[in-house]
PDB file of all heavy atoms in Angstrom:
ATOM      1  N   ASN A   8       2.166   3.679 -17.312  1.00 98.00           N
ATOM      2  CA  ASN A   8       1.946   2.414 -16.547  1.00 98.00           C
ATOM      3  C   ASN A   8       2.346   1.220 -17.359  1.00 98.00           C
ATOM      4  O   ASN A   8       1.658   0.206 -17.415  1.00 98.00           O
ATOM      5  CB  ASN A   8       0.448   2.320 -16.107  1.00 98.00           C
ATOM      6  CG  ASN A   8       0.118   3.472 -15.167  1.00 98.00           C
ATOM      7  OD1 ASN A   8       0.944   3.935 -14.416  1.00 98.00           O
ATOM      8  ND2 ASN A   8      -1.129   3.897 -15.249  1.00 98.00           N
ATOM      9  N   LEU A  26      -3.071  13.337 -19.231  1.00 98.00           N
ATOM     10  CA  LEU A  26      -3.436  12.101 -18.564  1.00 98.00           C
ATOM     11  C   LEU A  26      -4.956  12.011 -18.384  1.00 98.00           C
ATOM     12  O   LEU A  26      -5.580  11.027 -18.691  1.00 98.00           O
ATOM     13  CB  LEU A  26      -2.720  11.974 -17.224  1.00 98.00           C
ATOM     14  CG  LEU A  26      -1.245  11.752 -17.257  1.00 98.00           C
ATOM     15  CD1 LEU A  26      -0.650  11.864 -15.838  1.00 98.00           C
ATOM     16  CD2 LEU A  26      -0.906  10.379 -17.851  1.00 98.00           C
ATOM     17  N   MET A  32      -7.231   8.930 -17.751  1.00 96.00           N
ATOM     18  CA  MET A  32      -6.698   8.449 -16.480  1.00 96.00           C
ATOM     19  C   MET A  32      -7.002   9.491 -15.430  1.00 96.00           C
ATOM     20  O   MET A  32      -6.220  10.363 -15.158  1.00 96.00           O
ATOM     21  CB  MET A  32      -5.211   8.153 -16.604  1.00 96.00           C
ATOM     22  CG  MET A  32      -4.930   7.225 -17.775  1.00 96.00           C
ATOM     23  SD  MET A  32      -3.277   6.655 -17.804  1.00 96.00           S
ATOM     24  CE  MET A  32      -3.502   5.307 -16.657  1.00 96.00           C
ATOM     25  N   ALA A  72       4.195   6.895 -14.545  1.00 98.00           N
ATOM     26  CA  ALA A  72       3.392   6.005 -13.701  1.00 98.00           C
ATOM     27  C   ALA A  72       2.324   6.817 -13.019  1.00 98.00           C
ATOM     28  O   ALA A  72       2.714   7.854 -12.388  1.00 98.00           O
ATOM     29  CB  ALA A  72       4.208   5.175 -12.754  1.00 98.00           C
ATOM     30  N   THR A  73       1.107   6.385 -12.967  1.00 98.00           N
ATOM     31  CA  THR A  73       0.048   7.016 -12.260  1.00 98.00           C
ATOM     32  C   THR A  73      -0.505   6.083 -11.171  1.00 98.00           C
ATOM     33  O   THR A  73      -0.105   4.930 -11.088  1.00 98.00           O
ATOM     34  CB  THR A  73      -1.129   7.389 -13.220  1.00 98.00           C
ATOM     35  OG1 THR A  73      -1.777   6.159 -13.626  1.00 98.00           O
ATOM     36  CG2 THR A  73      -0.628   8.174 -14.389  1.00 98.00           C
ATOM     37  N   VAL A  74      -1.361   6.617 -10.363  1.00 98.00           N
ATOM     38  CA  VAL A  74      -1.947   5.778  -9.268  1.00 98.00           C
ATOM     39  C   VAL A  74      -2.636   4.540  -9.817  1.00 98.00           C
ATOM     40  O   VAL A  74      -2.621   3.487  -9.226  1.00 98.00           O
ATOM     41  CB  VAL A  74      -2.943   6.628  -8.399  1.00 98.00           C
ATOM     42  CG1 VAL A  74      -4.161   7.010  -9.108  1.00 98.00           C
ATOM     43  CG2 VAL A  74      -3.145   5.960  -7.064  1.00 98.00           C
ATOM     44  N   GLU A  75      -3.206   4.610 -11.047  1.00 97.00           N
ATOM     45  CA  GLU A  75      -3.816   3.470 -11.659  1.00 97.00           C
ATOM     46  C   GLU A  75      -2.804   2.346 -11.908  1.00 97.00           C
ATOM     47  O   GLU A  75      -3.161   1.170 -11.989  1.00 97.00           O
ATOM     48  CB  GLU A  75      -4.483   3.816 -13.008  1.00 97.00           C
ATOM     49  CG  GLU A  75      -5.708   4.690 -12.889  1.00 97.00           C
ATOM     50  CD  GLU A  75      -5.373   6.226 -13.018  1.00 97.00           C
ATOM     51  OE1 GLU A  75      -4.186   6.590 -12.879  1.00 97.00           O
ATOM     52  OE2 GLU A  75      -6.312   6.941 -13.305  1.00 97.00           O
ATOM     53  N   GLY A  76      -1.575   2.702 -12.036  1.00 97.00           N
ATOM     54  CA  GLY A  76      -0.504   1.720 -12.238  1.00 97.00           C
ATOM     55  C   GLY A  76       0.020   1.005 -11.031  1.00 97.00           C
ATOM     56  O   GLY A  76       0.820   0.045 -11.155  1.00 97.00           O
ATOM     57  N   LEU A  77      -0.361   1.413  -9.814  1.00 97.00           N
ATOM     58  CA  LEU A  77       0.089   0.715  -8.618  1.00 97.00           C
ATOM     59  C   LEU A  77      -0.413  -0.730  -8.646  1.00 97.00           C
ATOM     60  O   LEU A  77       0.328  -1.630  -8.368  1.00 97.00           O
ATOM     61  CB  LEU A  77      -0.361   1.433  -7.357  1.00 97.00           C
ATOM     62  CG  LEU A  77       0.360   2.735  -7.014  1.00 97.00           C
ATOM     63  CD1 LEU A  77      -0.216   3.338  -5.739  1.00 97.00           C
ATOM     64  CD2 LEU A  77       1.870   2.557  -6.967  1.00 97.00           C
ATOM     65  N   MET A 106       1.319   8.210  -4.591  1.00 98.00           N
ATOM     66  CA  MET A 106       2.461   8.264  -5.525  1.00 98.00           C
ATOM     67  C   MET A 106       3.706   8.793  -4.906  1.00 98.00           C
ATOM     68  O   MET A 106       4.809   8.345  -5.192  1.00 98.00           O
ATOM     69  CB  MET A 106       2.036   9.074  -6.767  1.00 98.00           C
ATOM     70  CG  MET A 106       0.945   8.387  -7.602  1.00 98.00           C
ATOM     71  SD  MET A 106       1.270   6.650  -8.035  1.00 98.00           S
ATOM     72  CE  MET A 106       2.556   6.840  -9.243  1.00 98.00           C
TER      73      MET A 106
END
Side-chain angles (χ1 to χ4, degrees):
N8 300 328
L26 291 170
M32 306 191 84
T73 69
V74 69
E75 291 95 341
L77 288 180
M106 294 308 289

